Amino acid sequence: QVQLVESGGGSVRPGESLRLTCEASVSIFSIKTMGWYRQAPGSQRELVAQMSSGGTKITYADSVRSRFTLTKDGAKATVFLQMNSLRSEDTAVYYCNVEHSWLGTYWGQGTQVTVSP
């Protein structure tokens, strides 16, 4: 089992910033990829940003590239999503996602991000 603990969501105005944190209960060396997805009301869940466990490959959605940055905490299974210049269309529930090398796919419980004037 992989436990994911998310934090950092909230309500901000357009142009402001938030940082999301996700900590996994397993070793970083047992993880293939770790990152964030989001789901807005009435929409499908979509990839926001994802990195390989070594941090050498990071993928961003086109809509967030240059505004969001995904980083990790050294050798820990913890990732941070720094979200700058937030827009109303970034409003969604954000889910941490882990692809474990042999246990499969895991999701966090979700954290709400609301961007409104």
Side-chain angles (χ1 to χ4, degrees):
Q1 276 283 47
V2 177
Q3 306 294 326
L4 300 176
V5 178
E6 302 164 335
S7 61
S11 295
V12 297
R13 291 188 172 87
E16 295 185 341
S17 300
L18 282 174
R19 189 171 87 151
L20 305 183
T21 300
C22 177
E23 182 174 355
S25 61
V26 294
S27 167
I28 188 66
F29 301 108
S30 65
I31 291 174
K32 290 195 291 189
T33 63
M34 192 167 181
W36 292 89
Y37 284 67
R38 68 186 181 187
Q39 187 167 18
S43 298
Q44 290 189 333
R45 194 171 296 189
E46 62 176 3
L47 174 70
V48 177
Q50 184 181 69
M51 72 162 55
S52 59
S53 62
T56 56
K57 180 181 178 182
I58 303 176
T59 302
Y60 292 98
D62 288 342
S63 59
V64 307
R65 196 184 311 276
S66 79
R67 299 188 298 122
F68 291 10
T69 303
L70 184 66
T71 57
K72 72 184 188 73
D73 183 356
K76 295 182 181 179
T78 301
V79 292
F80 308 98
L81 183 66
Q82 179 66 41
M83 305 185 294
N84 297 329
S85 302
L86 282 160
R87 305 168 179 167
S88 57
E89 53 264 38
D90 295 317
T91 295
V93 178
Y94 285 68
Y95 296 91
C96 182
N97 169 270
V98 161
E99 295 286 344
H100 192 275
S101 295
W102 59 88
L103 294 177
T105 302
Y106 287 83
W107 296 93
Q109 79 280 4
T111 185
Q112 177 70 46
V113 171
T114 302
V115 185
S116 63

